[in-house]
Amino acid sequence: NLPSIHIMWPRGGGPLRWLRAHSRQLLPAVAVICLVASAWNRWRWRLTTRQAMRPRQRSRRPSFESLRHLPREGRALLAGAVCLARSAVTQYAVNPTSVIEERVVIAMVGLPARGKSYLSKSIVRYLNFVGCPARLFNAGSRRRDAGLAGSGAAFFDAANEDAAAQREEIAMDTLEELLRWLKFLPSNSLTALSALEQNQEQAGEQCRRGCVCGVFDATNTTVLRRQKVRERCAREWPRVRLIFVESICTDTKLLLRNYMLKASNEDYKGSAPEAALQDFLARVRNYEAVYQTITDAEGPEEEEDETFHRLEGDRRISSTVDDLSPRGDGERQPRGKAAEPLPPRHGSSSLRSSGRPLVRQGSSGLGLRPSAPREQEEVLRYIQIIDAGKKLVACRADGYVLSKVMALLHSIHLGPRTIWIALAGQTLNDERGVLGGDTPLSRAGLVYSEAVCAFVAARERSSELRERGCAGHAIVMTGTLRRYDQLTQILLSKYEPKDRTVLRLQRLNELCAGQLDSL
């Protein structure tokens, strides 16, 4: 029986007149009520915020769903703080090699003196230049480091079982070193390897990010060796993309030149040139006896027909494209093969009762879909480069890194050419000690440019280039900055010919200093 309070309005009055008459008596009570309500709201907001910010077992940061019971002001404040924190750790990248996740293994294939080491070093230099970390792993260098330098031709004979076992072990150890480098950071390799033995998840935090490529420089001349390499790379996690690059050379002049270079390497240090050449030729013959070039037969067997599935009641029937027979309305009707019952799913009697359709329904009322694709490790990728770039054969050379490698192999050639690299003269910023910028040449820079143009014109008329078959006027490739434009104008205005070909490329400009530019 709580007492009830009745407010009686005076005659001819209203709420405003009543509040004006009793404002002095009500003001202290209203102030106390406001203070209590404010204190209660603050205490409640702090309590709920602490509970929402407590770490959970599966999530380290609170979600917005857990903050629904907060007051509106608290939710807005926390939402703004979370968005500000997330924007503060946003990473921007200008190089796709630091964003695209690809781990590539390039395994060289070919007989000795076919240019495998030349191609390997070119690939490593180019990938490092474009920003993709790359490293060369040479099985021959590992053999020489193991104390087998100077091994004769008998060591490379396939009939010598002991030597063959040693060469196989050295090659696989080289591949293992490549895969370890491919996965872990060099500075933390020992820590990461010990963590890998204890906890895979802990080691995964120290794995590489972005693109990375390792080049396995070995002969790999047999199908059995290449199968071992494929099986080892297939067991690697995170997955790696393996491609074989085979160098085939049938040009006798090129081979003789390569043989003479090989006869002077570390294996024949201190030997007579003729004896070294004969021993190396015997080594090549031993490899030729077991050499097997790469073919599509090494990969998985390709399915001739694409398999489709359709549902009829509780049974699934497989069909192929060849099994599709034309119907009267012009469409193809799957004839079908032997029906097989659908497996139960989570205790259900059939897939139809699970509530999820197995396949999409077509216009004919029959659901068709292709069968699942093959696993990635079963795919055979290879590139064959013949006679140092005269012919190039590629099979499944897909991906960002391999597209760069293909572009490089397309441009590799051993023809004679003359390239002159001339630096631009001093600019006004260089004279003042300012980094970068696009300012014209200084007085000293103009004098230097005059000397460079006179030197180029004199070299073009020299008898040395005529003897080498390189007579003619050079094509000028220059940048787009003002210093390059001034240098080119001096060459075109004072020296013949006046209609010289000039190619302006932005990529030939000086490297940008970033935030330090013009400082």
Side-chain angles (χ1 to χ4, degrees):
N1 297 325
L2 295 177
S4 59
I5 301 176
H6 299 278
I7 299 178
M8 304 298 294
W9 306 115
R11 290 184 180 181
L16 296 178
R17 182 177 297 179
W18 184 85
L19 289 175
R20 190 181 297 111
H22 300 80
S23 58
R24 293 184 179 180
Q25 292 83 0
L26 295 177
L27 186 60
V30 171
V32 172
I33 293 174
C34 292
L35 291 176
V36 172
S38 177
W40 167 256
N41 286 334
R42 289 184 179 180
W43 177 82
R44 183 189 173 202
W45 182 79
R46 292 179 181 178
L47 179 62
T48 52
T49 304
R50 291 176 182 177
Q51 293 177 356
M53 297 298 294
R54 287 178 182 176
R56 298 184 178 182
Q57 296 180 355
R58 297 185 179 180
S59 178
R60 296 183 178 180
R61 58 186 181 185
S63 62
F64 289 109
E65 295 295 332
S66 61
L67 307 177
R68 290 180 299 178
H69 56 280
L70 289 177
R72 181 180 301 175
E73 296 80 6
R75 289 199 301 267
L77 182 60
L78 283 180
V82 171
C83 292
L84 182 61
R86 290 182 180 178
S87 62
V89 299
T90 301
Q91 298 181 357
Y92 295 90
V94 296
N95 195 337
T97 58
S98 61
V99 178
I100 301 175
E101 295 280 347
E102 280 189 5
R103 292 173 172 84
V104 180
V105 176
I106 299 177
M108 306 302 297
V109 178
L111 295 171
R114 261 58 180 181
K116 298 187 302 298
S117 298
Y118 173 79
L119 294 175
S120 302
K121 295 176 182 178
S122 300
I123 292 173
V124 170
R125 284 197 301 265
Y126 179 69
L127 291 181
N128 283 320
F129 173 74
V130 299
C132 176
R135 182 179 169 185
L136 177 63
F137 297 85
N138 188 279
S141 300
R142 192 181 187 90
R143 171 180 57 82
R144 287 185 284 269
D145 294 340
L148 297 176
S151 302
F155 181 80
F156 302 93
D157 190 357
N160 190 347
E161 297 182 357
D162 294 339
Q166 290 181 350
R167 289 188 285 113
E168 193 74 20
E169 182 181 0
I170 291 173
M172 299 310 295
D173 290 344
T174 306
L175 181 60
E176 291 292 339
E177 182 184 3
L178 184 152
L179 294 176
R180 287 196 298 269
W181 177 85
L182 206 67
K183 180 183 293 186
F184 303 108
L185 293 171
S187 59
N188 297 328
S189 58
L190 298 178
T191 307
L193 286 176
S194 60
L196 179 63
E197 298 176 356
Q198 300 176 2
N199 189 358
Q200 290 280 354
E201 297 181 358
Q202 181 181 356
E205 297 179 356
Q206 300 177 355
C207 291
R208 289 184 177 273
R209 293 292 183 266
C211 293
V212 63
C213 178
V215 180
F216 178 37
D217 187 6
T219 55
N220 299 320
T221 52
T222 62
V223 176
L224 182 60
R225 166 72 70 79
R226 293 193 290 268
Q227 183 65 27
K228 290 182 179 179
V229 173
R230 291 180 59 196
E231 292 176 355
R232 176 61 188 90
C233 292
R235 297 194 305 268
E236 188 66 15
W237 184 261
R239 287 185 177 181
V240 298
R241 181 168 296 184
L242 172 65
I243 186 170
F244 295 99
V245 177
E246 182 178 13
S247 179
I248 302 174
C249 184
T250 57
D251 190 349
T252 55
K253 294 182 180 180
L254 184 59
L255 286 176
L256 182 59
R257 188 193 313 168
N258 292 342
Y259 290 158
M260 297 301 296
L261 292 176
K262 284 291 186 179
S264 60
N265 64 3
E266 297 180 3
D267 284 335
Y268 302 104
K269 190 175 183 179
S271 302
E274 295 182 357
L277 180 60
Q278 294 299 324
D279 184 82
F280 186 78
L281 291 177
R283 180 194 300 187
V284 173
R285 287 192 292 269
N286 289 334
Y287 274 105
E288 289 177 343
V290 296
Y291 177 48
Q292 297 171 306
T293 186
I294 298 179
T295 60
D296 294 336
E298 295 186 31
E301 296 182 1
E302 298 289 342
E303 294 184 0
E304 298 181 358
D305 302 324
E306 194 173 13
T307 305
F308 295 89
H309 306 296
R310 76 177 190 272
L311 298 179
E312 287 188 2
D314 292 340
R315 308 185 72 84
R316 179 174 56 196
I317 300 179
S318 301
S319 304
T320 61
V321 176
D322 293 339
D323 296 328
L324 298 177
S325 59
R327 299 193 310 182
D329 54 359
E331 298 181 359
R332 286 183 173 267
Q333 172 70 23
R335 290 199 301 267
K337 296 183 180 180
E340 53 177 331
L342 292 175
R345 181 189 182 195
H346 300 295
S348 303
S349 60
S350 66
L351 285 178
R352 295 181 60 188
S353 60
S354 62
R356 295 179 57 188
L358 176 65
V359 293
R360 293 178 296 179
Q361 298 296 325
S363 59
S364 61
L366 294 176
L368 298 178
R369 70 171 183 182
S371 57
R374 290 184 176 272
E375 295 295 333
Q376 181 179 358
E377 53 266 22
E378 295 182 3
V379 176
L380 175 64
R381 297 181 176 87
Y382 66 88
I383 300 174
Q384 290 178 331
I385 181 169
I386 302 171
D387 289 338
K390 291 183 179 179
K391 184 178 180 180
L392 198 66
V393 180
C395 177
R396 296 187 178 91
D398 53 350
Y400 179 80
V401 177
L402 296 184
S403 66
K404 297 293 184 181
V405 174
M406 283 292 298
L408 173 67
L409 296 180
H410 270 294
S411 61
I412 285 181
H413 64 91
L414 302 179
R417 67 270 196 193
T418 302
I419 301 176
W420 299 330
I421 301 177
L423 300 180
Q426 184 189 51
T427 63
L428 295 179
N429 278 353
D430 297 335
E431 191 177 21
R432 294 192 296 262
V434 178
L435 181 63
D438 187 12
T439 55
L441 294 173
S442 63
R443 185 180 300 273
L446 292 174
V447 174
Y448 168 82
S449 300
E450 293 277 357
V452 168
C453 293
F455 173 78
V456 171
R459 289 289 295 173
E460 287 180 334
R461 296 188 297 266
S462 63
S463 59
E464 180 184 354
L465 291 182
R466 293 194 186 96
E467 295 175 357
R468 295 169 53 184
C470 299
H473 299 288
I475 298 176
V476 179
M477 302 177 64
T478 181
T480 58
L481 299 178
R482 298 172 65 181
R483 68 198 76 169
Y484 303 124
D485 186 57
Q486 288 181 281
L487 177 62
T488 305
Q489 291 299 326
I490 295 174
L491 182 63
L492 295 178
S493 60
K494 296 186 177 182
Y495 300 94
E496 297 290 338
K498 303 297 183 181
D499 55 348
R500 185 188 300 268
T501 302
V502 178
L503 181 61
R504 302 183 65 192
L505 300 174
Q506 188 177 5
R507 70 191 69 170
L508 296 180
N509 292 338
E510 292 185 3
L511 295 178
C512 180
Q515 296 180 354
L516 301 180
D517 189 72
S518 300
L519 294 181

